[in-house]
Amino acid sequence: MDLKTASALRRLRLVSAPEAVSFLLLLVCSVLKRTTDFNAVPVMGMIHGVLFILYVIFWADAWNRAKWSFGTAALYFVLSVLPTGGFFAERKLRREAENAVIASRARQEQAVKTS
């Protein structure tokens, strides 16, 4: 995996958990708006909207650079619209990055052994 692909996956991973938290907070604010006089929906809506747009931009970049199949890309997109999906996306992306590092190191060791 090249540096640009790793960076794209890292950006997506780093925005996925905050996006999930903002989604959950937006849901809580929506309930509070309807049950109390507290109305933080405009603020949380804007914060969540910005984080969601960043997620989609980083998702598209990661899909392009990592050459994901349509199914993998669709999975990461569906996870972005589920209330806790960002947490699962972050974990899955972390594992994918760790596996890529392990594979890269194994290739380097194999190249050193054969030289």
Side-chain angles (χ1 to χ4, degrees):
M1 177 181 304
D2 66 339
L3 187 59
K4 289 184 179 185
T5 303
S7 295
L9 292 175
R10 186 169 189 270
R11 280 191 304 266
L12 181 60
R13 185 175 68 84
L14 290 177
V15 80
S16 63
E19 190 271 337
V21 169
S22 72
F23 194 178
L24 291 174
L25 288 175
L26 180 60
L27 292 176
V28 169
C29 289
S30 296
V31 170
L32 290 175
K33 176 184 175 183
R34 285 160 179 70
T35 58
T36 67
D37 291 334
F38 183 73
N39 184 11
V41 170
V43 174
M44 277 312 303
M46 183 177 64
I47 292 169
H48 174 66
V50 168
L51 288 170
F52 181 74
I53 289 169
L54 285 173
Y55 185 96
V56 171
I57 290 169
F58 294 158
W59 166 80
D61 186 39
W63 183 9
N64 181 42
R65 292 188 187 280
K67 308 293 185 224
W68 288 333
S69 67
F70 180 77
T72 301
L75 171 68
Y76 283 119
F77 187 79
V78 168
L79 287 174
S80 74
V81 296
L82 297 175
T84 58
F87 299 120
F88 295 106
E90 192 274 334
R91 265 192 11 258
K92 191 167 174 49
L93 286 163
R94 185 175 353 118
R95 271 191 242 122
E96 187 175 330
E98 288 170 356
N99 291 341
V101 168
I102 291 168
S104 174
R105 287 182 181 160
R107 281 192 302 272
Q108 286 175 350
E109 287 179 13
Q110 185 65 24
V112 169
K113 287 180 183 177
T114 58
S115 296

